[in-house]
Amino acid sequence: MGTIRLQNIRTFSFHGCLLEESKIGSDYSIDLEVKTDMRKSAISDNLHDTVDYVLLNRIVLEEMAIRSKLLEHVAHRIISRIFKEIPSIARVMIEVSKLNPPIGGDVEAVTIQMEEYRS
C-alpha cells in the first residue's frame, strides 16, 4: 500500500450557510490523501498502473465549484466521487479549510477533516 497526497489545493468557492457567502465567496485550501496499491506502478513505470493525481485534483476542483452549505457535505461528495471513479483507492482522507471565515473573530481558517475506507 502507498500514499498519494495533494497538499494545499487552492480554490475560490461559494460554500456556507450565510446568504452573503453564496454571493461573495471565500478562499479555500484542500489537502487530500489517498491510499492505493503502488506495487505494479513501481515496477512498470506506467501511469495507467497508478492513481493519476491530475484526476484527483480535477475531482476536487469540480466538486468545490458546486455550492454546499456545509464543508462536510462537499468533502463527502469528493470522497464519494473518488471511490466511484478510481476503484484502486482503498482509503481517502480529506481536509477542507475555509480561509478567513466570517465568524466574527481573527481566525485564519476553519477546517473539517474526514476519512473513509472503501466498503
Side-chain angles (χ1 to χ4, degrees):
M1 203 54 67
T3 302
I4 297 172
R5 287 188 193 99
L6 281 72
Q7 297 174 300
N8 198 23
I9 302 168
R10 292 175 297 279
T11 71
F12 188 84
S13 302
F14 296 87
H15 307 299
C17 293
L18 301 175
L19 180 61
E20 298 82 31
E21 292 174 300
S22 69
K23 295 178 180 179
I24 62 172
S26 296
D27 290 307
Y28 291 82
S29 173
I30 301 93
D31 292 328
L32 180 68
E33 179 178 293
V34 299
K35 293 274 189 190
T36 188
D37 188 344
M38 295 182 172
R39 291 176 289 189
K40 186 174 181 181
S41 61
I43 294 168
S44 73
D45 196 28
N46 189 327
L47 179 61
H48 297 289
D49 293 334
T50 191
V51 173
D52 184 353
Y53 50 78
V54 172
L55 174 57
L56 290 172
N57 187 62
R58 183 172 62 227
I59 290 170
V60 169
L61 295 177
E62 288 175 359
E63 293 301 323
M64 287 297 293
I66 301 168
R67 177 167 160 66
S68 293
K69 291 179 183 174
L70 301 178
L71 299 180
E72 296 91 323
H73 186 258
V74 71
H76 177 72
R77 283 201 327 263
I78 292 167
I79 291 169
S80 296
R81 188 163 162 203
I82 287 170
F83 281 145
K84 179 181 176 188
E85 293 187 23
I86 310 170
S88 64
I89 290 179
R91 174 187 156 271
V92 177
M93 201 270 292
I94 187 167
E95 291 184 358
V96 180
S97 299
K98 180 184 284 192
L99 307 179
N100 301 312
I103 61 174
D106 187 9
V107 177
E108 182 177 333
V110 171
T111 302
I112 64 99
Q113 181 183 63
M114 292 179 73
E115 178 178 20
E116 292 190 26
Y117 293 82
R118 183 176 295 281
S119 52

